Amino acid sequence: MADAKTSPGISVRNLYKIFGKNPEQYVDMVKGGMTKAELNEQYGHVLGLKDINIEMPAGGIQVVMGLSGSGKSTLIRHINRLIDPTAGEVVVGGDDVCKMSPGQLREFRRHETAMVFQKFALLPHRTVMDNTVYGLEVQGISRAEQVERAQRWIDRVGLTGFEKSYPNQLSGGMQQRVGLARALTNDAPILLMDEAFSALDPLIRMDMQSVLLDLQKEIRKTVVFITHDLDEALRLGDKIAILRDGKIVQQGTGQEIVLNPADDYISNFVKEVNRGRVILVETIMKPLSGDPEGMGIATGTTLEEAAKTMTDGNVAMAHVIDAAGKPVGSLDIHDVIAAMVTPVAHEKAMAAE
Amino acid sequence: MEWLYEFPSMNGASLRALKKAIDEGFRSFTRAYGEYFELFFEPLKHFLIYSEDFMTDTPWPIILIIIAAIAWLASRDIRIVIGSIVTLLLIGYFDMWEDTMKTISMIFVCTVLAIVIGIPIGIIMSRSDRVQAVINPILDVMQTMPSFVYLIPVVMLLGIGKVPGLIAVVIYAIPPIIRLTNLGIRLVDKDVLEAADAFGSSNWQRLKNVQMPLALPTIMAGINQTIMMALAMVVVASMIGVQGLGQPVLRAITNQYFTLGVFNGLAIVGIAIIFDRTSQAFGKRLQKHQEVVHG
Ligand SMILES: Nc1ncnc2c1ncn2[C@@H]1O[C@H](COP(=O)(O)OP(=O)(O)OP(=O)(O)O)[C@@H](O)[C@H]1O
Ligand SMILES: [Mg+2]
């Protein structure tokens, strides 16, 4: 089991991926600034990823976002080397995945990683149970233990009673949960999730997000999570990276990205987001002037929660206290509500950082 | 202008010499190694004889029950089972039971041999485009070359009898299994294969857990075709001493016994239909969970 291990961090360094017949030949041109469109038109090669550098936190959730075709699936496939990079390295806990021998790679995939696929990729001739145990079966664990461990996750993703069903007898959302159960049963320190919740209805989706967050409280896995949904990204992500045409356009915490979108592409992404759930009180608090007023609100509280506590407590002023209980700033309900509805102006946000 | 009307062929003498040299060469090869070939195929001969004895010595009701049981297990279709029983009863009633049993035994051994040899070749072929490029033309030749032509070297090497007949039939009937095994494995969904890789499957686990099960319906179609082609060879094979329904047909041709020919011909058709329906129904059942996955 993985609980004895600590989950490793993942660093992706100077990663390039070009699809086509002679990818190596074009790396230098891409490094020299050739765009995806030019490479495709002039040389018939597809630029998958360009100069990707990400430090994924050990034991944290790294979210990757981007529009369709921006290279998210390509990136996540490099981490367990389902795709070989054209240039660059992927270092997991000190080892470069790209330099592993076939045998080492197999061991790495068996014991260090588990993956949920965008297109589910279930074995159609196997039942839900037999799909779920697949990773353990490959590792050579006894059938009794396989079934016991799988059953726990089948129950947890809400598929109890469907153990003997075949994938083509299930709805898309149910199939996705089988894929989820299959990955979680593997109990690996690294969890690769390619749009793992995209086929789920909102209620089950929230539930699965909670499963993931609960799991993170117990055993801190290193999770790479791809999503199209910014709210999901903000709820889950310790760090978020945004891809466009194979390049990273911005990375940072959810709050950093919402408050400081690097360009219009990202502004469009974050426009519709529920700011009250992202921005934290310390971001908009004012310096303390005089004695702290009203109730104390802990740092790390979102504006939405703060507004609710303040209105419940029927107070217009509050003060922010840090982990040690020391007051660090003051909070006005007007400012809280204003920050929730109007985008913070660029300069002001900068100043708040 | 004469060369325009007469093709400028190799001159008669050198052509004769060439053919003679090849024939001589092969003949001395046969004389030197024929024995070893016979020795090599000895186990096959035992298998053939054992299977034929089993089919002809077992009381007919038991054979009938066995065939009905196999048809049921494979197809789960009562109509196919009843059809098989009726066909066999008619065959027996018209006094062709013994020959039919010999033919079925022959087809059975042939199919087993074709599967044992064909599937591994198909697997190897699916793993490398280069191997595929080499084997495909060979299979083309095997399928288009008139079967009488390769009977000649087989008979020269092994004489007349069951084993050469079997080899000739297998050569003729094996290409579909090889081709469809190769095709079936190549058509396996890339996404599923990728998932198997992502969980660290070894090559063998990949083959056993993903490629073979997913290719099985296609391979089954190949086996079905192989059986049909083997049956089509029954008459030709009887020319070199294979016993069964082919022999009376051969006699009917030489002596112009119309009814004898028709009866035995119909018996071949009858068992062909039994084999075909049963193996197809089995293939369909294998495919049950692989229909388009929705979602
Ligand atoms: N095997 C391949 N050969 C050629 N091009 C490829 C290949 N795989 C991916 N690409 C290209 O790489 C780019 C990125 O694809 P990728 O699947 O990573 O996108 P994505 O961000 O996951 O999109 P989506 O949100 O639709 O899943 C696309 O332009 C795609 O056409
Ligand atoms: Mg994708």
Side-chain angles (χ1 to χ4, degrees):
Chain A
M1 296 239 174
D3 37 25
K5 294 178 203 162
T6 47
S7 302
I10 303 170
S11 355
V12 178
R13 293 179 196 146
N14 308 320
L15 191 75
Y16 287 81
K17 178 67 192 177
I18 298 170
F19 292 105
K21 275 210 158 92
N22 296 308
E24 291 82 12
Q25 200 176 325
Y26 301 104
V27 177
D28 288 332
M29 292 192 205
V30 170
K31 284 183 181 167
M34 180 179 281
T35 66
K36 180 169 179 163
E38 282 166 3
L39 183 72
N40 198 2
E41 273 162 30
Q42 293 171 26
Y43 302 100
H45 280 55
V46 179
L47 180 55
L49 293 174
K50 180 177 180 180
D51 197 19
I52 304 290
N53 286 284
I54 308 183
E55 293 294 324
M56 302 186 182
I61 301 181
Q62 168 75 52
V63 169
V64 179
M65 292 190 70
L67 297 181
S68 196
S70 56
K72 305 181 296 295
S73 296
T74 307
L75 175 60
I76 205 169
R77 276 176 170 71
H78 276 89
I79 295 169
N80 57 358
R81 209 171 131 199
L82 290 173
I83 297 182
D84 275 300
T86 311
E89 52 191 19
V90 178
V91 179
V92 177
D95 298 321
D96 188 349
V97 177
C98 311
K99 293 204 176 78
M100 288 181 183
S101 70
Q104 287 172 321
L105 183 61
R106 205 154 50 228
E107 287 304 304
F108 171 73
R109 286 172 175 170
R110 281 185 189 175
H111 301 291
E112 302 292 315
T113 68
M115 187 161 183
V116 185
F117 289 86
Q118 189 174 1
K119 292 180 201 147
F120 321 147
L122 303 176
L123 301 172
H125 60 290
R126 288 184 168 218
T127 60
V128 167
M129 175 57 82
D130 289 342
N131 263 290
T132 310
V133 299
Y134 190 77
L136 300 184
E137 185 187 311
V138 164
Q139 292 174 27
I141 283 168
S142 76
R143 175 76 188 176
E145 189 185 339
Q146 287 174 24
V147 171
E148 191 201 315
R149 284 167 65 180
Q151 188 65 53
R152 201 177 125 226
W153 287 111
I154 290 176
D155 296 343
R156 190 59 196 88
V157 300
L159 287 176
T160 317
F162 290 93
E163 293 85 354
K164 294 201 171 66
S165 303
Y166 285 87
N168 69 349
Q169 299 168 327
L170 304 178
S171 74
M174 290 161 94
Q175 290 178 39
Q176 186 154 56
R177 281 181 277 155
V178 179
L180 210 55
R182 174 173 69 178
L184 291 169
T185 299
N186 225 28
D187 201 10
I190 296 174
L191 204 48
L192 305 173
M193 308 177 84
D194 192 351
E195 302 195 27
F197 300 158
S198 60
L200 304 178
D201 64 65
L203 281 180
I204 297 181
R205 193 172 181 143
M206 284 293 276
D207 186 33
M208 290 300 119
Q209 290 170 0
S210 311
V211 169
L212 189 61
L213 290 172
D214 289 348
L215 188 70
Q216 280 308 88
K217 278 185 210 135
E218 297 166 31
I219 328 157
R220 302 195 65 87
K221 291 176 187 293
T222 303
V223 181
V224 183
F225 192 98
I226 291 178
T227 178
H228 280 283
D229 178 350
L230 188 64
D231 284 319
E232 184 167 80
L234 294 168
R235 177 157 186 229
L236 298 178
D238 296 314
K239 271 186 72 193
I240 299 176
I242 298 182
L243 280 180
R244 179 189 195 178
D245 291 342
K247 264 169 49 184
I248 291 189
V249 277
Q250 189 173 7
Q251 53 179 327
T253 63
Q255 196 183 216
E256 280 162 16
I257 288 173
V258 170
L259 292 177
N260 291 313
D263 60 15
D264 290 346
Y265 178 78
I266 296 174
S267 304
N268 279 331
F269 250 108
V270 302
K271 209 165 51 191
E272 304 299 338
V273 77
N274 183 339
R275 308 171 68 83
R277 292 201 186 145
V278 183
I279 303 173
L280 305 179
V281 283
E282 58 266 36
T283 312
I284 62 154
M285 69 188 178
K286 298 222 173 68
L288 274 178
S289 48
D291 287 337
E293 290 178 78
M295 54 177 50
I297 291 177
T299 52
T301 310
T302 60
L303 294 189
E304 196 177 69
E305 286 169 60
K308 187 164 183 305
T309 331
M310 287 168 78
T311 38
D312 283 353
N314 210 6
V315 293
M317 289 299 289
H319 60 276
V320 179
I321 49 179
D322 66 10
K326 190 167 112 10
V328 286
S330 74
L331 213 51
D332 186 330
I333 187 83
H334 293 295
D335 293 340
V336 172
I337 290 169
M340 279 166 68
V341 290
T342 43
V344 181
H346 232 71
E347 310 83 286
K348 201 170 150 198
M350 294 288 213
E353 282 297 295
Chain B
M1 287 296 277
E2 202 181 315
W3 59 271
L4 250 187
Y5 293 95
E6 179 105 8
F7 197 94
S9 63
M10 202 169 164
N11 82 45
S14 14
L15 195 58
R16 232 171 293 128
L18 174 70
K19 287 179 189 163
K20 203 169 153 206
I22 296 177
D23 282 350
E24 296 270 289
F26 191 67
R27 230 169 255 139
S28 54
F29 173 77
T30 314
R31 239 173 278 128
Y33 299 105
E35 243 177 281
Y36 298 107
F37 274 93
E38 263 172 56
L39 226 59
F40 178 76
F41 288 114
E42 197 65 21
L44 205 58
K45 195 161 149 193
H46 287 305
F47 183 23
L48 260 173
I49 292 173
Y50 179 80
S51 143
E52 197 173 298
D53 285 352
F54 175 81
M55 293 299 283
T56 50
D57 293 350
T58 312
W60 64 267
I62 296 182
I63 296 284
L64 204 61
I65 291 171
I66 294 176
I67 294 181
I70 293 174
W72 169 252
L73 289 178
S75 69
R76 296 293 155 96
D77 186 340
I78 197 69
R79 287 168 305 172
I80 293 179
V81 176
I82 291 172
S84 310
I85 294 176
V86 170
T87 310
L88 287 170
L89 287 176
L90 278 174
I91 286 174
Y93 188 65
F94 284 98
D95 194 23
M96 294 179 289
W97 185 265
E98 177 117 8
D99 281 338
T100 304
M101 287 308 113
K102 288 179 178 168
T103 295
I104 291 180
S105 147
M106 169 81 181
I107 300 301
F108 171 72
V109 175
C110 252
T111 310
V112 169
L113 201 62
I115 291 173
V116 168
I117 301 172
I119 289 182
I121 296 180
I123 292 172
I124 295 168
M125 212 171 148
S126 71
R127 309 205 138 198
S128 140
D129 287 340
R130 212 175 293 160
V131 174
Q132 176 175 250
V134 173
I135 293 184
N136 255 333
I138 299 177
L139 295 181
D140 291 338
V141 172
M142 281 162 71
Q143 277 185 303
T144 47
M145 176 81 83
S147 37
F148 292 102
V149 176
Y150 55 74
L151 283 183
I152 305 166
V154 174
V155 171
M156 280 170 78
L157 263 178
L158 297 166
I160 289 209
K162 286 188 184 20
V163 172
L166 180 76
I167 293 172
V169 175
V170 170
I171 293 176
Y172 179 73
I174 205 172
I177 286 200
I178 301 181
R179 276 191 219 266
L180 287 166
T181 301
N182 173 38
L183 182 73
I185 292 179
R186 280 175 187 265
L187 287 183
V188 167
D189 189 354
K190 294 277 174 298
D191 292 327
V192 179
L193 218 48
E194 193 177 46
D197 285 342
F199 284 94
S201 308
S202 64
N203 278 333
W204 167 244
Q205 285 168 331
R206 231 167 161 243
L207 184 69
K208 174 177 70 105
N209 296 332
V210 185
Q211 291 174 311
M212 287 308 281
L214 295 194
L216 209 51
T218 314
I219 296 175
M220 241 353 257
I223 294 177
N224 172 282
Q225 282 186 31
T226 290
I227 297 176
M228 294 300 110
M229 289 174 71
L231 268 168
M233 273 289 276
V234 163
V235 177
V236 175
S238 71
M239 289 175 63
I240 54 168
V242 173
Q243 292 186 315
L245 291 167
Q247 296 253 333
V249 173
L250 210 60
R251 237 181 306 134
I253 296 169
T254 40
N255 299 325
Q256 300 176 3
Y257 297 145
F258 175 63
T259 326
L260 180 71
V262 170
F263 277 11
N264 283 279
L266 284 177
I268 296 179
V269 172
I271 56 176
I273 293 176
I274 297 177
F275 283 153
D276 181 58
R277 291 302 126 87
T278 308
S279 60
Q280 271 195 26
F282 184 58
K284 273 234 179 66
R285 282 209 309 129
L286 288 179
Q287 208 149 13
K288 199 171 68 188
H289 295 298
Q290 294 191 27
E291 292 141 7
V292 186
V293 181
H294 55 75

Coordinates of all heavy atoms in Angstrom, one line a residue, chain A residues 73 118 194-195, ligand 2:
Chain A
S73 N -4.1 16.6 -22.7 CA -3.9 15.1 -22.6 C -2.5 14.7 -23.0 O -1.9 13.8 -22.5 CB -4.9 14.5 -23.6 OG -6.2 14.7 -23.2
Q118 N -9.7 10.2 -20.2 CA -10.8 11.1 -20.7 C -11.8 10.2 -21.4 O -13.0 10.4 -21.3 CB -10.2 12.0 -21.7 CG -11.1 13.1 -22.2 CD -10.3 14.1 -23.1 OE1 -9.1 14.0 -23.4 NE2 -11.0 15.1 -23.5
D194 N -7.3 12.6 -16.3 CA -7.6 13.4 -17.6 C -9.1 13.6 -17.7 O -9.8 12.7 -18.1 CB -7.0 12.6 -18.8 CG -7.0 13.5 -20.0 OD1 -7.6 14.6 -20.0 OD2 -6.4 13.0 -21.0
E195 N -9.5 14.8 -17.4 CA -11.0 15.1 -17.4 C -11.8 14.0 -16.7 O -12.7 13.5 -17.3 CB -11.4 15.3 -18.8 CG -10.6 16.5 -19.4 CD -11.2 17.0 -20.7 OE1 -12.5 17.0 -20.8 OE2 -10.5 17.6 -21.5
Ligands
MG2 MG -7.7 15.7 -23.8

